[in-house]
Amino acid sequence: MSKQLVFMDHDGGVDDYLATMLLLTMDHIELLGVVVTPADCYIQPAISATRKILDLMGFSHISVAESTVRGINPFPRLYRRDSFIVDHLPILNQSEVINTPLVAESGQDFMIKVLRAAPQPVTLMVTGPLTTVAVALDQAPDIEAKIEKIVWMGGALNVPGNVEKSLEAGQDGSAEWNVYWDAISAARVWQTQIEIIMCPLDLTNNVPVTSELVQKMGKQRHYPVSDLAGQCYALVIPQDYYFWDVLATAYLGHPEFYQLREWETEIITTGLSQGRTKVVSSGRKIYAMDKLDKDAFYDYILKQWTR
Ligand SMILES: [Ca+2]
């Protein structure tokens, strides 16, 4: 059986490194490349940490690229700082050199090149804003035919967003961060015919990262992956943290854990609700991950980190 072709576009948060690691544990997936979008991170440490993770997990033949797109509403600095911490974790700094290549071209150009060269349509796994995808589509509309589907962590359909009104004046609390960073690009992707399977806050709100689960990772006593995963989760345990990017990515491993539901939606790009993914009749059809076999998901995550 041929492997499922996947291209990863993440935005450098703690959750994004874990999602990348999870993808690398899936034997039926061939990862064609990784692009980092400069959103929930500072880009240099995010690129560096990503390459070190590929090295650690034995995938240094996969190239990484730096997207040079820009968003509209920056992520809070406090979130973005985590990229420096992960890049400095001892377990990622045991070697003098980084072997995973950083390509010379921009992330958006690399995405176009990889999609054009792929022998069959590719699944885009996107765990940050859709800006790099939108810019690539604008530069090379022909790649739309090479995108099998987009699996995306983003949006809030029938629950409040996670952009806090107290942090962001001019926002009514309806937006999810990955949309809010650049709602215009999300709307651009909404204009395509590409199948979109999104993992919205509606679902992730039910799947917290618990102390119990993180401590179980320690008890598994595996090295180095379980250790790295546990350190990443330990970093975020003081805040309310959920399986966002990891939950979206696990869909590629076990779609049968999820029930999808179709919605008609539009992306609000202006005004107080900018960044909202609004359910509207005769809007753009998307699939949202709606229900989850939570026990199976938690078991799967623990199992995948035992390496
Ligand atoms: Ca992310």
Side-chain angles (χ1 to χ4, degrees):
M1 206 182 82
S2 67
K3 292 192 174 190
Q4 183 183 355
L5 304 182
V6 174
F7 188 89
M8 176 91 180
D9 175 351
H10 79 67
D11 74 330
V14 175
D15 207 14
D16 294 275
Y17 305 119
L18 289 157
T20 306
M21 289 160 61
L22 181 64
L23 199 54
L24 295 173
T25 67
M26 297 179 192
D27 295 333
H28 69 292
I29 297 248
E30 184 177 345
L31 184 58
L32 300 178
V34 180
V35 54
V36 184
T37 294
D40 187 12
C41 66
Y42 291 94
I43 192 66
Q44 276 75 30
I47 289 283
S48 169
T50 301
R51 295 168 68 205
K52 290 172 185 174
I53 286 168
L54 290 168
D55 276 7
L56 182 77
M57 296 191 65
F59 289 87
S60 58
H61 57 283
I62 296 174
S63 294
V64 172
E66 175 187 335
S67 169
T68 57
V69 303
R70 293 293 178 261
I72 295 163
N73 298 300
F75 272 77
R77 284 187 323 182
L78 207 60
Y79 302 0
R80 297 170 66 198
R81 290 193 327 178
D82 288 342
S83 52
F84 280 104
I85 299 175
V86 174
D87 187 43
H88 286 77
L89 290 176
I91 200 167
L92 291 178
N93 288 280
Q94 300 173 105
S95 171
E96 294 294 325
V97 290
I98 305 180
N99 292 312
T100 297
L102 173 63
V103 299
E105 69 250 58
S106 70
Q108 55 273 33
D109 288 346
F110 180 59
M111 183 182 282
I112 292 167
K113 188 175 92 177
V114 169
L115 289 173
R116 281 181 171 161
Q120 70 217 45
V122 175
T123 296
L124 292 187
M125 182 68 236
V126 184
T127 57
L130 289 166
T131 312
T132 304
V133 179
V135 169
L137 282 163
D138 277 342
Q139 278 178 221
D142 57 286
I143 62 170
E144 183 172 334
K146 296 301 287 287
I147 301 174
E148 166 90 26
K149 59 179 179 280
I150 299 175
V151 177
W152 180 49
M153 192 282 128
L157 296 171
N158 299 295
V159 296
N162 58 3
V163 177
E164 291 170 41
K165 277 189 279 189
S166 57
L167 280 177
E168 291 286 305
Q171 163 58 218
D172 63 8
S174 61
E176 183 280 324
W177 264 109
N178 284 342
V179 194
Y180 185 65
W181 194 72
D182 178 10
I184 291 166
S185 285
R188 165 68 179 89
V189 173
W190 250 235
Q191 283 168 16
T192 66
Q193 304 298 311
I194 303 164
E195 181 177 302
I196 295 172
I197 301 177
M198 59 187 251
C199 181
L201 297 185
D202 307 57
L203 183 65
T204 61
N205 285 348
N206 301 309
V207 193
V209 174
T210 63
S211 274
E212 190 199 358
L213 198 71
V214 177
Q215 283 161 352
K216 269 188 192 168
M217 286 173 207
K219 293 188 181 72
Q220 294 192 131
R221 297 222 225 158
H222 271 271
Y223 190 88
V225 176
S226 183
D227 192 60
L228 176 58
Q231 294 206 39
C232 286
Y233 286 120
L235 174 63
V236 295
I237 203 79
Q239 63 204 81
D240 263 347
Y241 214 84
Y242 294 85
F243 287 95
W244 291 295
D245 299 349
V246 167
L247 185 59
T249 304
Y251 178 81
L252 295 183
H254 283 281
E256 75 280 7
F257 291 172
Y258 301 74
Q259 277 177 42
L260 301 183
R261 178 166 172 184
E262 192 175 288
W263 295 94
E264 296 183 337
T265 60
E266 78 173 297
I267 305 284
I268 309 294
T269 57
T270 58
L272 283 176
S273 300
Q274 65 173 285
R276 180 175 178 187
T277 35
K278 190 177 182 189
V279 175
V280 288
S281 59
S282 27
R284 205 275 196 200
K285 284 195 172 66
I286 55 94
Y287 294 101
M289 300 178 199
D290 189 56
K291 293 204 168 59
L292 172 74
D293 182 340
K294 211 162 128 179
D295 291 339
F297 168 75
Y298 283 139
D299 288 349
Y300 173 60
I301 293 302
L302 281 173
K303 185 176 88 138
Q304 293 311 95
W305 295 153
T306 56
R307 56 189 76 208

